[in-house]
Amino acid sequence: MTILALETSCDDTCAAVVTRAGEIRSNVVSSQGVHDRFGGVVPEIASRHHLELVNAVVDDALATAGTDLGGVEAVAVTQGPGLVGALLVGVATAKALAAARRLPLVPVDHLQGHVAANFLAPEPMEPPFVCLIASGGHTLLGRVRDHHGYEVIGRTLDDAAGEAFDKGARLLGLGYPGGPALSRLAAGGDPEAFAFPTGARVAGLDFSFAGLKTALLYTVRDLGEEETARRAADLAASYEHAIVEALMARVERALAAEPSP
Amino acid sequence: MILLALDSSTPSSVAAVLRADGRVVEARDDPPPGSRGEHAARLLALAEDAMAGAETAWDDLDRIAVGAGPGGFTGLRIGIATARALAQARGLPLVPVGSLDALAAGADAAGDEVVAAVIDARRGEVFAAAFARGEPLLEPAALAPDDLASRLAALDRPVRAVGDGAVRFRQELARAGISVPADDSSVHRIGADALCRLGAARAPAERDALLPDYRREPDAKPPQR
Ligand SMILES: [Zn+2]
């Protein structure tokens, strides 16, 4: 069984060819890179670019996998959640490809897609496991018992972890999307230089990053412009450390609560 | 020529098959005025309905035509994404049809009567163009209704305006002496015959270059800091 999969939920136009056995035969990701100057993903621009790219990305994925639509047995597509206009381009494309080739269409929940990525080679993971999804749009903990779904056992009460990165980066003047820049800067800093809140004392498996962002804002204000610039690497490292600590604490709690297999 | 034509540039979803014997089979969804289109749910199913009604299989098709706008952005993208993927899946040529051209072509202009095709562009604007004997007198543009009315009046010829934008802004157009057929007249909708006729006559486009005729820049203001 060979599956062609499309994903257009945000600003990357993606297509992959995967076998039922979990082998990734191709994985084409076309990043639009046009949103940076707007300080965020602009839905209308993302939708326009998906439409420009989607068929070529599918062609590329098929060619890289050494196959064509004749070798495809099912078409999968991210159904949501995501940017509605962006999703529609991928869904309309997948539906039409499937209809015209008389192939089954498999709509996939965006987050289930993240969970299911763990089932793929070269290091497939078999349930049961606890899955942390931490992206620009989502932060949640899932308990995975089989290949068909997951139970949400923790979610963010405010920002996603990726958003916390981007917002922190903005406070440090690193532009958008600043997450990667913040991470690079953090590599040269001291993660213990500043004690940012990790919410470790908040009980349960839910996440919250609003307090952390506020703490960084006050620290930057107290330090002043010059001192902030001088200690930017330490600030970035400490901020990143706090986010990772917050994630790790919930994962450890979830694992501790899990009956051993 | 056997052709499948799609249009989703207005709230209506339209699919049509032109058969080898010249007969056109149409399948369409026309939501009530003021409501949004259901292109995502309906368009492909209507295409399959039209194909079944025309006893046409995917292998029979010679080309796919699609309404390329101007019109609603989301609807246009669904129609064009659908058409492009069908063409990709079957290796078929793809032909863009201007939505305003198709609307005007369906109005059956008499003699040198001027037909203005007017699509509601929301936010108080219309997408409009005017034609006489199939030749453009006013190029497609996004306009305020009053602006359109004065441009049409300046032609100093009898003008008939059709389309959901003509219905919506009937008063503004009537003030400038432009006639608008009754609200429920079928000339206000993009029809199967016009889509198929233009789709058969026009030259195919490169698949990846077939994009909506947006006629309006995206709303992309940098977020406030
Ligand atoms: Zn995601």
Side-chain angles (χ1 to χ4, degrees):
Chain A
M1 167 76 97
T2 301
I3 302 159
L4 169 68
L6 281 74
E7 137 69 30
T8 61
S9 66
C10 192
D11 61 339
D12 290 335
T13 312
C14 315
V17 174
V18 174
T19 67
R20 174 135 217 164
E23 183 203 349
I24 302 170
R25 291 180 50 198
S26 64
N27 182 25
V28 178
V29 177
S30 179
S31 294
Q32 301 182 353
V34 294
H35 303 279
D36 302 9
R37 67 199 159 97
F38 298 112
V41 174
V42 180
E44 174 61 24
I45 291 179
S47 302
R48 291 186 180 197
H49 280 268
H50 283 306
L51 184 59
E52 288 168 20
L53 298 168
V54 65
N55 305 95
V57 166
V58 167
D59 280 343
D60 195 359
L62 291 168
T64 306
T67 187
D68 56 26
L69 281 169
V72 170
E73 290 153 282
V75 181
V77 63
T78 307
Q79 181 179 33
L83 299 173
V84 175
L87 286 163
L88 282 172
V89 174
V91 170
T93 301
K95 275 173 69 175
L97 288 173
R101 302 294 309 198
R102 291 187 204 85
L103 295 171
L105 177 76
V106 186
V108 178
D109 175 83
H110 179 160
L111 299 171
Q112 174 66 20
H114 282 297
V115 170
N118 294 293
F119 305 144
L120 298 174
E123 294 177 67
M125 232 177 141
E126 275 308 304
F129 57 83
V130 167
C131 183
L132 169 69
I133 300 172
S135 72
H138 302 279
T139 297
L140 65 82
L141 265 181
R143 179 182 286 135
V144 184
R145 291 216 177 83
D146 55 36
H147 281 231
H148 306 293
Y150 62 94
E151 178 196 351
V152 177
I153 54 177
R155 51 163 41 102
T156 182
L157 304 173
D158 37 60
D159 292 339
E163 272 177 294
F165 266 95
D166 286 337
K167 288 179 176 176
R170 187 171 285 177
L171 290 173
L172 294 175
L174 299 174
Y176 174 89
L182 186 142
S183 244
R184 279 193 297 276
L185 186 60
D190 174 6
E192 319 246 300
F194 297 90
F196 289 126
T198 63
R201 267 167 295 167
V202 181
L205 298 174
D206 286 338
F207 304 89
S208 168
F209 296 104
L212 171 62
K213 191 186 61 190
T214 310
L216 178 63
L217 175 70
Y218 288 148
T219 306
V220 165
R221 194 174 289 169
D222 291 348
L223 287 176
E225 212 170 301
E226 222 169 279
E227 193 64 5
T228 295
R230 200 179 66 79
R231 305 203 59 189
D234 286 347
L235 284 164
S238 301
Y239 186 78
E240 181 183 67
H241 178 72
I243 293 175
V244 175
E245 279 296 304
L247 296 173
M248 288 304 298
R250 304 315 190 277
V251 171
E252 279 161 10
R253 277 178 203 168
L255 286 172
E258 202 66 7
S260 37
Chain B
M1 168 171 325
I2 303 179
L3 169 152
L4 170 67
L6 305 175
D7 184 82
S8 49
S9 51
T10 70
S12 298
S13 297
V14 189
V17 173
L18 171 65
R19 302 192 342 155
D21 62 6
R23 192 159 76 84
V24 171
V25 176
E26 179 179 55
R28 62 185 301 143
D29 172 53
D30 296 293
S35 51
R36 293 192 174 234
E38 295 187 34
H39 312 109
R42 302 288 285 127
L43 187 66
L44 183 62
L46 290 167
E48 289 177 318
D49 289 351
M51 303 258 299
E55 295 172 327
T56 298
W58 294 110
D59 278 338
D60 301 334
L61 293 176
D62 296 312
R63 61 166 60 181
I64 293 177
V66 62
F73 295 168
T74 300
L76 284 173
R77 275 192 288 268
I78 291 168
I80 291 175
T82 301
R84 278 172 52 160
L86 294 174
Q88 180 173 30
R90 306 305 309 189
L92 291 168
L94 198 53
V95 186
V97 173
S99 321
L100 296 169
D101 300 62
L103 189 54
D108 289 325
D112 57 358
E113 178 192 30
V114 176
V115 172
V118 189
I119 291 176
D120 186 357
R122 301 223 188 95
R123 293 184 236 157
E125 282 194 327
V126 294
F127 296 119
F131 306 84
R133 296 188 179 276
E135 295 299 314
L137 289 182
L138 179 67
E139 293 293 333
L143 298 168
D146 285 327
D147 191 6
L148 171 66
S150 51
R151 287 184 197 214
L152 293 175
L155 296 173
D156 207 19
R157 293 165 63 170
V159 179
R160 186 160 51 110
V162 298
D164 60 357
V167 171
R168 171 105 185 249
F169 298 104
R170 170 185 294 282
Q171 279 193 326
E172 287 82 347
L173 295 170
R175 270 201 297 269
I178 294 149
S179 76
V180 179
D183 286 7
D184 59 358
S185 167
S186 65
V187 294
H188 294 306
R189 301 192 199 120
I190 290 175
D193 286 313
L195 275 177
C196 287
R197 202 170 350 126
L198 295 176
R202 302 267 153 107
E206 279 292 314
R207 181 193 71 197
D208 293 349
L210 203 172
L211 294 167
D213 176 359
Y214 289 109
R215 290 287 150 173
R216 201 150 69 182
E217 291 303 307
D219 294 321
K221 295 188 191 78
Q224 304 295 322
R225 294 228 170 172

Coordinates of all heavy atoms in Angstrom, one line a residue, chain B residues 89-151:
Chain B
A89 N -4.4 14.6 -12.5 CA -4.7 13.2 -12.3 C -4.9 12.5 -13.6 O -4.7 11.3 -13.8 CB -5.9 13.0 -11.4
R90 N -5.5 13.2 -14.6 CA -5.8 12.6 -15.9 C -5.0 13.0 -17.0 O -5.2 12.7 -18.2 CB -7.3 12.9 -16.2 CG -8.3 12.5 -15.2 CD -8.3 11.1 -14.7 NE -8.3 10.1 -15.7 CZ -8.5 8.8 -15.5 NH1 -8.7 8.3 -14.2 NH2 -8.5 7.9 -16.5
G91 N -4.0 13.9 -16.7 CA -3.1 14.3 -17.8 C -3.8 15.2 -18.9 O -3.6 15.0 -20.1
L92 N -4.7 16.0 -18.4 CA -5.6 16.8 -19.4 C -5.2 18.2 -19.5 O -4.7 18.8 -18.5 CB -7.0 16.7 -18.9 CG -7.7 15.4 -19.0 CD1 -9.0 15.4 -18.2 CD2 -7.9 15.0 -20.5
P93 N -5.4 18.9 -20.7 CA -5.2 20.3 -20.8 C -6.2 21.1 -20.0 O -7.3 20.6 -19.7 CB -5.3 20.6 -22.3 CG -5.8 19.4 -22.9 CD -5.8 18.2 -21.9
L94 N -5.8 22.2 -19.5 CA -6.6 23.0 -18.6 C -6.8 24.4 -19.2 O -5.8 25.0 -19.7 CB -5.7 23.1 -17.3 CG -6.3 23.5 -16.0 CD1 -7.4 22.6 -15.6 CD2 -5.1 23.3 -15.0
V95 N -8.0 24.9 -19.2 CA -8.3 26.2 -19.8 C -9.0 27.1 -18.9 O -10.0 26.8 -18.3 CB -9.3 25.9 -21.0 CG1 -9.5 27.2 -21.8 CG2 -8.8 24.8 -21.9
P96 N -8.4 28.3 -18.7 CA -9.1 29.3 -17.8 C -10.2 30.1 -18.6 O -10.0 30.4 -19.7 CB -7.9 30.2 -17.4 CG -7.0 30.1 -18.6 CD -7.1 28.8 -19.2
V97 N -11.3 30.3 -17.9 CA -12.4 31.1 -18.5 C -12.6 32.3 -17.5 O -12.8 32.1 -16.3 CB -13.6 30.3 -18.6 CG1 -14.8 31.1 -19.1 CG2 -13.4 29.1 -19.6
G98 N -12.6 33.5 -18.0 CA -12.9 34.6 -17.2 C -14.3 34.6 -16.7 O -15.2 34.3 -17.5
S99 N -14.5 34.8 -15.4 CA -15.9 34.7 -14.9 C -16.8 35.8 -15.5 O -17.9 35.6 -15.7 CB -15.8 34.9 -13.4 OG -14.7 34.3 -12.8
L100 N -16.2 37.0 -15.7 CA -17.0 38.1 -16.2 C -17.3 37.8 -17.7 O -18.4 38.1 -18.1 CB -16.3 39.4 -16.0 CG -16.1 39.8 -14.5 CD1 -15.1 41.0 -14.4 CD2 -17.4 40.2 -13.8
D101 N -16.4 37.3 -18.4 CA -16.6 36.9 -19.8 C -17.8 35.9 -19.9 O -18.7 36.0 -20.7 CB -15.4 36.2 -20.4 CG -14.2 37.1 -20.4 OD1 -13.7 37.5 -19.3 OD2 -13.7 37.5 -21.5
A102 N -17.7 34.9 -18.9 CA -18.7 33.8 -19.0 C -20.1 34.4 -18.6 O -21.1 34.1 -19.2 CB -18.4 32.7 -18.0
L103 N -20.1 35.3 -17.6 CA -21.4 35.9 -17.2 C -22.0 36.7 -18.4 O -23.2 36.6 -18.7 CB -21.1 36.8 -16.0 CG -22.3 37.4 -15.2 CD1 -23.2 36.4 -14.8 CD2 -21.7 38.2 -14.0
A104 N -21.1 37.5 -19.0 CA -21.6 38.3 -20.1 C -22.0 37.5 -21.3 O -23.0 37.7 -22.0 CB -20.5 39.3 -20.6
A105 N -21.3 36.4 -21.6 CA -21.6 35.5 -22.7 C -23.0 34.9 -22.5 O -23.6 34.5 -23.5 CB -20.5 34.4 -22.8
G106 N -23.4 34.7 -21.3 CA -24.7 34.1 -21.0 C -25.8 35.1 -21.1 O -27.0 34.7 -21.0
A107 N -25.5 36.3 -21.3 CA -26.6 37.3 -21.4 C -27.2 37.5 -22.7 O -28.2 38.3 -22.9 CB -26.0 38.7 -20.9
D108 N -26.7 36.8 -23.8 CA -27.2 36.9 -25.1 C -27.5 38.3 -25.6 O -28.7 38.7 -25.8 CB -28.5 36.0 -25.2 CG -28.2 34.6 -25.1 OD1 -27.2 34.2 -25.7 OD2 -29.0 33.8 -24.5
A109 N -26.5 39.1 -25.7 CA -26.6 40.5 -26.1 C -27.2 40.6 -27.5 O -26.9 39.8 -28.3 CB -25.2 41.2 -26.1
A110 N -28.1 41.5 -27.7 CA -28.7 41.7 -29.0 C -28.0 42.8 -29.7 O -27.8 43.9 -29.2 CB -30.2 42.1 -28.8
G111 N -27.6 42.6 -30.9 CA -26.9 43.6 -31.8 C -25.7 44.2 -31.1 O -24.9 43.5 -30.5
D112 N -25.6 45.5 -31.0 CA -24.4 46.1 -30.4 C -24.8 46.6 -29.0 O -24.2 47.5 -28.5 CB -23.8 47.2 -31.3 CG -24.8 48.3 -31.6 OD1 -26.0 48.1 -31.2 OD2 -24.4 49.2 -32.3
E113 N -25.8 46.0 -28.4 CA -26.1 46.2 -27.0 C -24.8 46.0 -26.1 O -24.1 45.1 -26.3 CB -27.2 45.3 -26.5 CG -27.6 45.5 -25.0 CD -28.5 44.3 -24.6 OE1 -28.3 43.2 -25.1 OE2 -29.3 44.5 -23.7
V114 N -24.7 46.9 -25.1 CA -23.5 46.7 -24.2 C -24.0 45.9 -23.0 O -25.1 46.2 -22.4 CB -23.0 48.1 -23.7 CG1 -21.9 47.9 -22.6 CG2 -22.5 48.9 -24.8
V115 N -23.3 44.9 -22.6 CA -23.6 44.1 -21.5 C -22.5 44.3 -20.4 O -21.3 44.1 -20.7 CB -23.7 42.6 -21.8 CG1 -23.8 41.7 -20.5 CG2 -24.9 42.3 -22.7
A116 N -22.9 44.7 -19.2 CA -21.9 44.8 -18.1 C -22.1 43.6 -17.2 O -23.2 43.3 -16.8 CB -22.2 46.1 -17.3
A117 N -21.0 42.8 -17.0 CA -21.0 41.7 -16.1 C -20.5 42.2 -14.8 O -19.4 42.8 -14.7 CB -20.1 40.6 -16.6
V118 N -21.3 42.0 -13.7 CA -21.0 42.6 -12.4 C -21.1 41.5 -11.3 O -22.2 41.0 -11.1 CB -22.0 43.7 -12.1 CG1 -21.6 44.5 -10.9 CG2 -22.1 44.7 -13.3
I119 N -20.0 41.2 -10.7 CA -20.0 40.2 -9.6 C -19.8 40.9 -8.3 O -18.9 41.8 -8.2 CB -18.9 39.1 -9.9 CG1 -19.2 38.3 -11.1 CG2 -18.6 38.3 -8.6 CD1 -18.2 37.3 -11.5
D120 N -20.6 40.6 -7.3 CA -20.4 41.2 -6.0 C -19.1 40.8 -5.4 O -18.8 39.6 -5.2 CB -21.6 40.6 -5.1 CG -21.6 41.3 -3.7 OD1 -20.7 42.2 -3.4 OD2 -22.5 41.0 -2.9
A121 N -18.3 41.8 -5.1 CA -16.9 41.6 -4.5 C -16.9 41.8 -3.0 O -15.8 41.7 -2.4 CB -15.9 42.5 -5.2
R122 N -18.0 42.0 -2.4 CA -18.1 42.2 -0.9 C -17.4 43.6 -0.6 O -16.7 44.1 -1.4 CB -17.5 41.1 -0.1 CG -18.2 39.8 -0.4 CD -18.5 39.0 1.0 NE -19.0 37.7 0.7 CZ -18.2 36.6 0.6 NH1 -16.9 36.8 0.9 NH2 -18.7 35.5 0.3
R123 N -17.5 43.9 0.7 CA -16.9 45.2 1.1 C -17.4 46.4 0.3 O -16.6 47.3 0.0 CB -15.4 45.1 1.1 CG -14.9 44.1 2.2 CD -13.4 44.2 2.2 NE -12.8 42.9 2.0 CZ -11.6 42.7 1.5 NH1 -10.8 43.7 1.2 NH2 -11.1 41.5 1.4
G124 N -18.6 46.3 -0.2 CA -19.1 47.5 -1.0 C -18.6 47.6 -2.4 O -18.7 48.7 -3.0
E125 N -17.9 46.6 -2.9 CA -17.3 46.8 -4.2 C -17.9 45.7 -5.2 O -18.4 44.7 -4.7 CB -15.8 46.6 -4.2 CG -15.1 47.9 -3.7 CD -13.6 47.8 -4.0 OE1 -13.0 46.7 -3.9 OE2 -13.0 48.9 -4.2
V126 N -17.6 45.9 -6.5 CA -18.0 44.9 -7.4 C -16.7 44.6 -8.3 O -15.9 45.5 -8.5 CB -19.1 45.3 -8.3 CG1 -20.4 45.4 -7.5 CG2 -18.8 46.6 -9.1
F127 N -16.7 43.4 -8.9 CA -15.8 43.1 -10.0 C -16.7 43.2 -11.2 O -17.7 42.6 -11.3 CB -15.3 41.7 -9.9 CG -14.4 41.4 -8.7 CD1 -14.8 40.4 -7.8 CD2 -13.2 42.1 -8.5 CE1 -14.0 40.2 -6.7 CE2 -12.4 41.8 -7.4 CZ -12.8 40.9 -6.5
A128 N -16.2 44.1 -12.2 CA -17.1 44.3 -13.3 C -16.3 44.5 -14.6 O -15.1 44.9 -14.6 CB -17.9 45.6 -13.1
A129 N -16.9 44.2 -15.7 CA -16.4 44.4 -17.1 C -17.5 44.7 -18.0 O -18.7 44.2 -17.7 CB -15.5 43.2 -17.6
A130 N -17.3 45.3 -19.1 CA -18.4 45.6 -20.1 C -18.0 45.1 -21.5 O -16.8 45.3 -21.8 CB -18.8 47.0 -20.1
F131 N -18.9 44.6 -22.2 CA -18.6 44.1 -23.5 C -19.7 44.5 -24.5 O -20.9 44.7 -24.1 CB -18.7 42.5 -23.5 CG -17.8 41.9 -22.5 CD1 -18.2 41.8 -21.1 CD2 -16.5 41.5 -22.8 CE1 -17.4 41.2 -20.2 CE2 -15.7 40.9 -21.8 CZ -16.1 40.7 -20.5
A132 N -19.3 44.7 -25.8 CA -20.3 44.8 -26.9 C -19.8 43.9 -28.0 O -18.7 43.9 -28.4 CB -20.3 46.3 -27.3
R133 N -20.7 43.1 -28.5 CA -20.4 42.1 -29.5 C -19.2 41.3 -29.1 O -18.3 41.0 -29.9 CB -20.1 42.8 -30.9 CG -21.4 43.5 -31.5 CD -21.1 43.9 -32.9 NE -22.2 44.6 -33.5 CZ -23.3 44.0 -34.1 NH1 -23.3 42.7 -34.2 NH2 -24.3 44.6 -34.6
G134 N -19.1 40.9 -27.8 CA -18.0 40.1 -27.3 C -16.7 40.8 -27.1 O -15.8 40.2 -26.6
E135 N -16.6 42.1 -27.6 CA -15.4 42.9 -27.4 C -15.4 43.7 -26.1 O -16.5 44.3 -25.8 CB -15.2 43.8 -28.6 CG -15.0 43.1 -29.9 CD -13.7 42.2 -29.9 OE1 -12.7 42.7 -29.4 OE2 -13.8 41.0 -30.3
P136 N -14.3 43.7 -25.4 CA -14.3 44.5 -24.1 C -14.4 46.0 -24.3 O -13.7 46.5 -25.1 CB -13.0 44.0 -23.4 CG -12.2 43.5 -24.5 CD -13.1 43.0 -25.6
L137 N -15.3 46.6 -23.6 CA -15.4 48.1 -23.6 C -14.8 48.6 -22.3 O -14.4 49.8 -22.2 CB -16.8 48.6 -23.7 CG -17.5 48.4 -25.0 CD1 -18.9 49.0 -25.0 CD2 -16.7 49.1 -26.2
L138 N -14.9 47.8 -21.2 CA -14.4 48.2 -19.9 C -13.7 46.9 -19.4 O -14.3 45.9 -19.2 CB -15.6 48.6 -19.0 CG -15.3 49.0 -17.6 CD1 -14.6 50.3 -17.5 CD2 -16.7 49.1 -16.8
E139 N -12.4 47.1 -19.1 CA -11.6 45.9 -18.6 C -12.0 45.5 -17.2 O -12.4 46.4 -16.5 CB -10.1 46.3 -18.7 CG -9.5 46.5 -20.1 CD -9.5 45.2 -20.9 OE1 -9.4 44.1 -20.3 OE2 -9.6 45.3 -22.1
P140 N -11.9 44.2 -16.9 CA -12.2 43.8 -15.5 C -11.5 44.6 -14.5 O -10.3 44.9 -14.6 CB -11.7 42.4 -15.5 CG -11.7 41.9 -16.9 CD -11.4 43.1 -17.7
A141 N -12.3 45.1 -13.5 CA -11.7 45.9 -12.4 C -12.6 45.7 -11.1 O -13.7 45.3 -11.2 CB -11.7 47.3 -12.8
A142 N -12.0 46.0 -10.0 CA -12.7 46.1 -8.7 C -13.1 47.5 -8.6 O -12.2 48.4 -8.5 CB -11.9 45.6 -7.6
L143 N -14.4 47.8 -8.5 CA -14.9 49.2 -8.4 C -16.0 49.4 -7.4 O -16.7 48.4 -7.1 CB -15.5 49.5 -9.8 CG -14.6 49.5 -11.1 CD1 -15.5 49.6 -12.3 CD2 -13.7 50.6 -11.0
A144 N -16.1 50.6 -6.9 CA -17.3 51.0 -6.1 C -18.5 51.0 -7.1 O -18.3 51.4 -8.3 CB -17.1 52.3 -5.5
P145 N -19.7 50.6 -6.7 CA -20.8 50.6 -7.6 C -21.1 51.9 -8.3 O -21.4 52.0 -9.5 CB -22.0 50.2 -6.7 CG -21.4 49.5 -5.5 CD -20.0 50.1 -5.4
D146 N -21.0 53.0 -7.5 CA -21.2 54.3 -8.1 C -20.2 54.7 -9.2 O -20.5 55.3 -10.3 CB -21.2 55.4 -7.1 CG -22.4 55.4 -6.2 OD1 -23.5 55.1 -6.8 OD2 -22.4 55.7 -5.0
D147 N -19.0 54.2 -9.0 CA -17.9 54.4 -10.0 C -18.2 53.7 -11.2 O -18.1 54.2 -12.3 CB -16.6 54.0 -9.3 CG -15.4 54.4 -10.1 OD1 -15.5 55.1 -11.1 OD2 -14.2 53.9 -9.8
L148 N -18.6 52.4 -11.0 CA -19.0 51.6 -12.2 C -20.1 52.2 -12.9 O -20.1 52.3 -14.2 CB -19.4 50.2 -11.7 CG -20.0 49.3 -12.8 CD1 -19.0 49.0 -13.9 CD2 -20.6 48.0 -12.3
A149 N -21.2 52.7 -12.2 CA -22.3 53.3 -12.8 C -21.9 54.5 -13.7 O -22.4 54.6 -14.8 CB -23.4 53.7 -11.8
S150 N -21.0 55.4 -13.2 CA -20.7 56.5 -14.0 C -19.8 56.1 -15.2 O -19.9 56.8 -16.2 CB -20.0 57.6 -13.1 OG -19.0 57.1 -12.4
R151 N -19.0 55.1 -15.0 CA -18.2 54.7 -16.2 C -19.1 54.1 -17.3 O -18.8 54.3 -18.5 CB -17.2 53.6 -15.8 CG -16.0 54.2 -15.0 CD -15.0 53.1 -14.7 NE -14.1 53.5 -13.6 CZ -12.8 53.2 -13.6 NH1 -12.3 52.4 -14.5 NH2 -12.1 53.6 -12.6

